[in-house]
mmCIF file of all heavy atoms in Angstrom:
data_model
loop_
_atom_site.group_PDB
_atom_site.id
_atom_site.type_symbol
_atom_site.label_atom_id
_atom_site.label_comp_id
_atom_site.label_asym_id
_atom_site.label_seq_id
_atom_site.Cartn_x
_atom_site.Cartn_y
_atom_site.Cartn_z
ATOM 1 N N PRO B 186 -14.039 -7.426 -6.908
ATOM 2 C CA PRO B 186 -13.103 -8.354 -6.258
ATOM 3 C C PRO B 186 -11.971 -8.799 -7.212
ATOM 4 O O PRO B 186 -10.848 -9.044 -6.734
ATOM 5 C CB PRO B 186 -13.975 -9.598 -5.827
ATOM 6 C CG PRO B 186 -15.288 -9.319 -6.464
ATOM 7 C CD PRO B 186 -15.430 -7.917 -6.723
ATOM 8 N N VAL B 187 -12.248 -8.884 -8.479
ATOM 9 C CA VAL B 187 -11.200 -9.316 -9.450
ATOM 10 C C VAL B 187 -10.098 -8.273 -9.529
ATOM 11 O O VAL B 187 -8.900 -8.515 -9.412
ATOM 12 C CB VAL B 187 -11.814 -9.593 -10.870
ATOM 13 C CG1 VAL B 187 -10.709 -9.891 -11.845
ATOM 14 C CG2 VAL B 187 -12.831 -10.696 -10.774
ATOM 15 N N VAL B 188 -10.519 -6.975 -9.665
ATOM 16 C CA VAL B 188 -9.580 -5.854 -9.755
ATOM 17 C C VAL B 188 -8.806 -5.761 -8.447
ATOM 18 O O VAL B 188 -7.556 -5.646 -8.459
ATOM 19 C CB VAL B 188 -10.271 -4.552 -10.085
ATOM 20 C CG1 VAL B 188 -9.337 -3.388 -10.134
ATOM 21 C CG2 VAL B 188 -11.093 -4.692 -11.317
ATOM 22 N N ARG B 189 -9.544 -5.861 -7.369
ATOM 23 C CA ARG B 189 -8.965 -5.726 -5.988
ATOM 24 C C ARG B 189 -7.843 -6.827 -5.872
ATOM 25 O O ARG B 189 -6.738 -6.476 -5.460
ATOM 26 C CB ARG B 189 -10.071 -5.973 -4.981
ATOM 27 C CG ARG B 189 -9.991 -5.107 -3.791
ATOM 28 C CD ARG B 189 -11.015 -5.486 -2.780
ATOM 29 N NE ARG B 189 -12.373 -5.538 -3.283
ATOM 30 C CZ ARG B 189 -13.288 -6.462 -2.877
ATOM 31 N NH1 ARG B 189 -12.952 -7.368 -2.006
ATOM 32 N NH2 ARG B 189 -14.519 -6.412 -3.370
ATOM 33 N N SER B 190 -8.163 -8.042 -6.147
ATOM 34 C CA SER B 190 -7.208 -9.142 -5.961
ATOM 35 C C SER B 190 -6.000 -8.944 -6.859
ATOM 36 O O SER B 190 -4.877 -9.157 -6.463
ATOM 37 C CB SER B 190 -7.818 -10.527 -6.299
ATOM 38 O OG SER B 190 -9.123 -10.559 -5.799
ATOM 39 N N ALA B 191 -6.280 -8.497 -8.140
ATOM 40 C CA ALA B 191 -5.122 -8.345 -9.060
ATOM 41 C C ALA B 191 -4.212 -7.239 -8.566
ATOM 42 O O ALA B 191 -2.971 -7.388 -8.638
ATOM 43 C CB ALA B 191 -5.689 -7.985 -10.465
ATOM 44 N N VAL B 192 -4.764 -6.093 -8.098
ATOM 45 C CA VAL B 192 -3.955 -5.036 -7.569
ATOM 46 C C VAL B 192 -3.054 -5.525 -6.453
ATOM 47 O O VAL B 192 -1.868 -5.264 -6.349
ATOM 48 C CB VAL B 192 -4.783 -3.844 -7.141
ATOM 49 C CG1 VAL B 192 -4.005 -2.834 -6.381
ATOM 50 C CG2 VAL B 192 -5.471 -3.184 -8.346
ATOM 51 N N ILE B 193 -3.694 -6.249 -5.517
ATOM 52 C CA ILE B 193 -2.978 -6.722 -4.364
ATOM 53 C C ILE B 193 -1.884 -7.747 -4.737
ATOM 54 O O ILE B 193 -0.758 -7.700 -4.241
ATOM 55 C CB ILE B 193 -3.937 -7.311 -3.294
ATOM 56 C CG1 ILE B 193 -4.694 -6.062 -2.750
ATOM 57 C CG2 ILE B 193 -3.243 -8.002 -2.179
ATOM 58 C CD1 ILE B 193 -5.528 -6.302 -1.559
ATOM 59 N N TYR B 194 -2.215 -8.609 -5.646
ATOM 60 C CA TYR B 194 -1.238 -9.577 -6.166
ATOM 61 C C TYR B 194 -0.004 -8.880 -6.647
ATOM 62 O O TYR B 194 1.127 -9.174 -6.284
ATOM 63 C CB TYR B 194 -1.858 -10.489 -7.253
ATOM 64 C CG TYR B 194 -0.988 -11.580 -7.789
ATOM 65 C CD1 TYR B 194 -1.123 -12.859 -7.297
ATOM 66 C CD2 TYR B 194 -0.077 -11.333 -8.771
ATOM 67 C CE1 TYR B 194 -0.330 -13.875 -7.820
ATOM 68 C CE2 TYR B 194 0.716 -12.314 -9.273
ATOM 69 C CZ TYR B 194 0.525 -13.642 -8.810
ATOM 70 O OH TYR B 194 1.352 -14.600 -9.255
ATOM 71 N N VAL B 195 -0.198 -7.930 -7.563
ATOM 72 C CA VAL B 195 0.943 -7.241 -8.192
ATOM 73 C C VAL B 195 1.718 -6.461 -7.158
ATOM 74 O O VAL B 195 2.934 -6.454 -7.107
ATOM 75 C CB VAL B 195 0.426 -6.322 -9.349
ATOM 76 C CG1 VAL B 195 1.576 -5.555 -9.906
ATOM 77 C CG2 VAL B 195 -0.144 -7.192 -10.453
ATOM 78 N N ALA B 196 0.979 -5.720 -6.233
ATOM 79 C CA ALA B 196 1.609 -4.933 -5.237
ATOM 80 C C ALA B 196 2.495 -5.833 -4.317
ATOM 81 O O ALA B 196 3.617 -5.482 -4.021
ATOM 82 C CB ALA B 196 0.604 -4.174 -4.411
ATOM 83 N N LEU B 197 1.971 -6.940 -3.939
ATOM 84 C CA LEU B 197 2.740 -7.849 -3.067
ATOM 85 C C LEU B 197 3.990 -8.390 -3.792
ATOM 86 O O LEU B 197 5.083 -8.411 -3.203
ATOM 87 C CB LEU B 197 1.901 -9.017 -2.653
ATOM 88 C CG LEU B 197 0.991 -8.850 -1.425
ATOM 89 C CD1 LEU B 197 0.208 -10.114 -1.137
ATOM 90 C CD2 LEU B 197 1.787 -8.443 -0.248
#
Side-chain angles (χ1 to χ4, degrees):
Chain B
V187 175
V188 180
R189 221 187 303 145
S190 321
V192 168
I193 291 191
Y194 183 97
V195 174
L197 276 181

